[in-house]
Amino acid sequence: MTAVQGADVDIPTSDGTADAYLAHPADGSPHPGVLLYQDAYGLRPQLRAMADRLAGAGYTVLVPNVFYRHGRTPIGEVPEFIDPAADPAIWERIGPVMASLTPEQTERDADAYLGRLADSPLVSDGPVALTGYCMGARLALRTAATHAERVAAAAGFHGGRLATDAPDSPHLGAERITAELYFGHADQDHSMPEEQIRRLEDALCAAGVRHTCEVYPGAQHGYTQADTPAYGREADERHWAALLDLLKRAF
């Protein structure tokens, strides 16, 4: 692992300014870019640590606050250890904010986030990679479809509602995707049941998308997030191995 530098940055968008965290190797040279999409709990120390780990592996990583329309990070009260069982009201605060982010807003925001990476002297020329967690997996899948020419690879971990029967379900953009995809599903995730896993894979196969879909046994929704009770060390390390392998193939 190389030395890493990180800084808070602002990203102008068509709807305002998104605050974000940018991590990169400390050598100051350009490295392949990675856009990391947050989970529902938002940009916080856990995600900064994940970005730092990716940067230490040789990437320049941008983590935007996708809820910026509701204010800068943190959005509402987010404890150091996030336990919904101890604070059931947390979803009353976060749920409406998460639901307010539309596919159209996601597409516009991706323009700004990818533009920020493209303009940075710390990012190598060419396409970038995406990784997303929980709701961030949906954002990664949508971005891979709406910005196909700018995305070389995309991953999603314990993503929910990736292949619903809604007319705007993320999996319906599969035919536009040119990136290689990887999904690490949690087998104890009610937001991504077996029916949706099959529907997602069927759509990717029909579209000819290079992909891997794996189900992690014994894993809960949120298994990568060490600041929640859903965290699972074995599943998390499997996620890191799969993600880094995908990035090596992409760049």
Side-chain angles (χ1 to χ4, degrees), residues 7 18 34 44-45 48-49 60 74 86 139 141 166 173 183 201 204 207 218 224:
V34 178
R44 60 194 191 282
R48 289 180 169 85
T60 296
L139 304 184
L141 183 55
F183 292 98
E201 187 146 20
L204 297 176
T224 63

Side-chain angles (χ1 to χ4, degrees), residues 217-242:
Q220 300 183 47
H221 181 77
Y223 62 76
T224 63
Q225 302 303 303
D227 59 352
T228 76
Y231 179 71
R233 182 177 298 277
E234 182 176 347
D236 183 33
E237 289 306 315
R238 181 175 175 180
H239 133 261
W240 280 111

Side-chain angles (χ1 to χ4, degrees), residues 165-178:
D165 56 7
D168 62 353
S169 177
H171 79 289
L172 297 176
E175 292 184 353
R176 291 176 285 165
I177 294 173
T178 57

